[in-house]
Amino acid sequence: MADGVLTRQIQLVTANLIEAIDGADGFQNTHQPQHYESAKFSIEQVVFILEKIHIMWESILPRSIYKRSMCYILGSVFSRITKDMLLIDDMAAEETLQLQGLIHLALENLSSLFLSLVENEFLDHQTWIELDEIIRPLKKFRKLAELLDMSLKSITAAWESGELTNCGFTSSEVQNFVKAIFADSPLRKECLLWISRTPS
């Protein structure tokens, strides 16, 4: 596949994927069945498109070009979904579980694609580390799933240790996330102050 043709294909696929993600309406209100189903369908559409190009491109592209192209596309997808989820300004407890489930749904259903990018046969700890390296936004996407189930103190500690910065989170993103999930309280105020004062 000529470079120009491949570039256009990547642009087209990325546009289709973004359109599919747009169908989730920012992943808002997933604690409501109708909104959850829309978000789930959006993730399923994304997986379908990615699996389709995985099967097509892996068979015709040189490995290095296939790997580079897929990593770029996957990075765009994970960046966009993460961005949308982090923009939610108020999350019900059930909503955090639904969002976490949607992230896991995407990761689990893309396992064969992930394995096509590395030399490993299983998605073990080392494989995920390798994937995080070649698809930078994946690390943040996976960490977001963990954050959705973490306590306020644990999130603050993760920021303080530099772990969240290492995953690509900014101070404002973490502060907004905390405000979206946890009700106003003296502890929340203290943690937000700590996050804002701790250099990233």
Side-chain angles (χ1 to χ4, degrees):
M1 195 184 291
D3 285 352
V5 175
L6 179 60
T7 300
R8 286 194 295 275
Q9 283 292 312
I10 290 172
Q11 290 171 344
L12 181 63
V13 168
T14 304
N16 288 339
L17 286 163
I18 296 304
E19 186 179 346
I21 295 168
D22 284 343
D25 195 25
F27 297 92
Q28 302 266 356
N29 301 313
T30 51
H31 58 299
Q32 297 171 6
Q34 185 179 349
H35 289 281
Y36 174 74
E37 287 305 320
S38 293
K40 184 169 178 279
F41 180 72
S42 174
I43 293 292
E44 289 169 346
Q45 283 289 101
V46 166
V47 170
F48 176 77
I49 295 168
L50 288 170
E51 275 300 328
K52 188 176 175 182
I53 60 167
H54 160 212
I55 293 165
M56 286 170 50
W57 289 5
E58 190 177 23
S59 61
I60 60 172
L61 291 175
R63 176 154 180 79
S64 61
I65 295 174
Y66 163 75
K67 186 174 174 180
R68 186 171 70 244
S69 302
M70 288 305 307
C71 287
Y72 171 81
I73 290 169
L74 285 166
S76 299
V77 167
F78 297 138
S79 289
R80 175 57 193 276
I81 297 175
T82 302
K83 179 185 174 185
D84 281 0
M85 289 185 175
L86 287 173
L87 284 173
I88 300 171
D89 59 9
D90 186 26
M91 294 187 207
E94 187 183 346
E95 206 169 347
T96 62
L97 295 176
Q98 298 286 38
L99 291 171
Q100 185 184 53
L102 290 170
I103 293 174
H104 289 156
L105 177 69
L107 294 173
E108 287 162 12
N109 285 297
L110 290 172
S111 57
S112 64
L113 194 163
F114 287 140
L115 289 172
S116 75
L117 300 171
V118 293
E119 302 300 328
N120 307 10
E121 293 182 14
F122 305 102
L123 283 172
D124 55 18
H125 178 67
Q126 191 56 43
T127 305
W128 282 116
I129 291 174
E130 191 176 336
L131 286 165
D132 285 342
E133 286 298 316
I134 61 174
I135 313 166
R136 296 301 298 176
L138 174 61
K139 192 172 189 177
K140 187 174 183 179
F141 184 65
R142 294 200 308 122
K143 193 65 189 178
L144 178 57
E146 291 182 34
L147 287 179
L148 287 161
D149 197 27
M150 283 169 66
S151 69
L152 180 51
K153 284 189 174 181
S154 296
I155 292 172
T156 307
W159 174 258
E160 187 181 2
S161 70
E163 181 185 354
L164 298 185
T165 305
N166 188 42
C167 291
F169 288 91
T170 65
S171 174
S172 60
E173 283 177 336
V174 177
Q175 289 178 67
N176 290 338
F177 182 80
V178 165
K179 290 175 186 174
I181 290 185
F182 300 99
D184 193 15
S185 68
L187 178 61
R188 192 184 84 162
K189 283 190 177 75
E190 183 185 336
C191 289
L192 286 170
L193 188 62
W194 195 259
I195 292 166
S196 67
R197 286 180 174 175
T198 307
S200 57

